[in-house]
């Protein structure tokens, strides 16, 4: 048995209580592997790379029982202008530089290139505007479609969003029972706006706490 075959059997054995079959599990591992290879160096792809995705809120946590792969991601924004952005990202210990164009409908151009981890770390820590966003990306297979559930940590702790990448905008998407409202294109759920909203909430809480502390300091003793 190959190392890949052993990994499939070991991983699937942990999910035997779920509805995912061994063939489905093996297929998803192959899809994830191919996706990661593409993300590592899209410059080798001759066709114009286009990202087509839909985004959803989660209805419950039942998706956790069918997760087959998870990666730790760290994102930093290097530049943003008129819907275009340049991002540095770490997939576990691998760094990538991504350029995204403005969205048209569900689609946008996306160019992602692998860069040395040492370069990525300098860019992430010294040249990113705003906060570095951390999350765990969980991969789930629904039929023949791969879903990615992003569970945020740190500044955006508690935010969980699901995405499904599509080959075409009109591709039919089977929605599992753990999916709730679709938020594709909703400004509130763009990462940059989630960060702004959380910072605003934290600043407001800090002002309220300072005001309460000041009021207590001036309150006469009984």
């Amino acid at each position: 048995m190959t190392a890949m075959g052993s990994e499939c059997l070991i991983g699937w054995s942990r999910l035997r209580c779920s509805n995912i079959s061994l063939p489905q599990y093996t297929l998803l591992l192959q899809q994830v592997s191919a996706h990661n290879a593409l993300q590592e160096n899209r410059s080798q792809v001759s066709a114009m790379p286009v990202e087509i995705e839909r985004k959803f809120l989660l209805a419950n946590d039942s998706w956790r029982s069918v997760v087959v792969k998870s990666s730790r991601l760290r994102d930093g924004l290097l530049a943003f202008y008129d819907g275009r952005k340049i991002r540095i990202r770490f997939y576990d210990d691998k760094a990538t530089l991504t350029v995204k164009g403005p969205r048209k409908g569900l689609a946008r151009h996306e160019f992602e290139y692998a860069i040395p981890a040492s370069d990525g770390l300098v860019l992430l820590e010294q040249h990113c505007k705003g906060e570095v966003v951390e999350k765990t990306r969980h991969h789930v297979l629904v039929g023949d479609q791969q879903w990615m559930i992003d569970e945020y940590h740190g500044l955006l702790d508690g935010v969980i969003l699901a995405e499904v990448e599509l080959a075409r905008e009109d591709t039919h998407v089977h929605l599992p029972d753990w999916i709730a409202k679709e938020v594709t294109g909703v400004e509130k759920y763009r990462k940059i706006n989630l960060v702004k909203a959380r910072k605003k909430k934290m600043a407001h809480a800090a002002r309220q706490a300072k005001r309460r502390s000041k009021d207590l300091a001036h309150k006469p003793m009984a």
Side-chain angles (χ1 to χ4, degrees), residues 186-213:
V186 178
E187 288 294 309
K188 175 182 177 181
Y189 292 100
R190 290 178 58 203
K191 190 186 305 178
I192 190 171
N193 292 331
L194 288 171
V195 169
K196 286 180 181 178
R198 184 61 61 91
K199 283 185 173 181
K200 183 177 180 181
K201 183 178 180 179
M202 292 171 63
H204 177 72
R207 289 194 299 269
Q208 291 290 93
K210 185 176 181 180
R211 187 177 296 114
R212 286 194 296 268
S213 179

Side-chain angles (χ1 to χ4, degrees), residues 56-75:
F56 298 82
L57 301 180
L58 280 298
N60 54 62
D61 282 343
S62 61
W63 57 269
R64 294 185 185 277
S65 65
V66 289
V67 170
V68 297
K69 184 178 177 66
S70 298
S71 299
R72 189 79 170 193
L73 275 61
R74 289 179 291 159
D75 290 346

Side-chain angles (χ1 to χ4, degrees), residues 15 60 63 84 98 126-127 161 175 190 192 211-212:
L15 299 171
N60 54 62
W63 57 269
R84 300 165 175 84
T98 304
Q126 299 182 27
H127 298 283
L161 296 171
L175 301 181
R190 290 178 58 203
I192 190 171
R211 187 177 296 114
R212 286 194 296 268

Side-chain angles (χ1 to χ4, degrees), residues 115-163:
I115 63 173
S118 56
D119 293 358
L121 194 60
V122 172
L123 291 171
L124 191 69
E125 294 180 347
Q126 299 182 27
H127 298 283
C128 285
K129 182 179 180 180
E131 299 288 335
V132 172
V133 175
E134 299 185 32
K135 62 186 177 183
T136 300
R137 171 161 289 178
H138 307 281
H139 296 267
V140 173
L141 181 67
V142 178
D144 60 352
Q145 293 176 332
Q146 182 187 161
W147 286 74
M148 293 167 287
I149 293 94
D150 287 338
E151 183 174 12
Y152 288 85
H153 312 292
L155 178 65
L156 294 180
D157 188 53
V159 175
I160 305 178
L161 296 171
E163 296 179 354

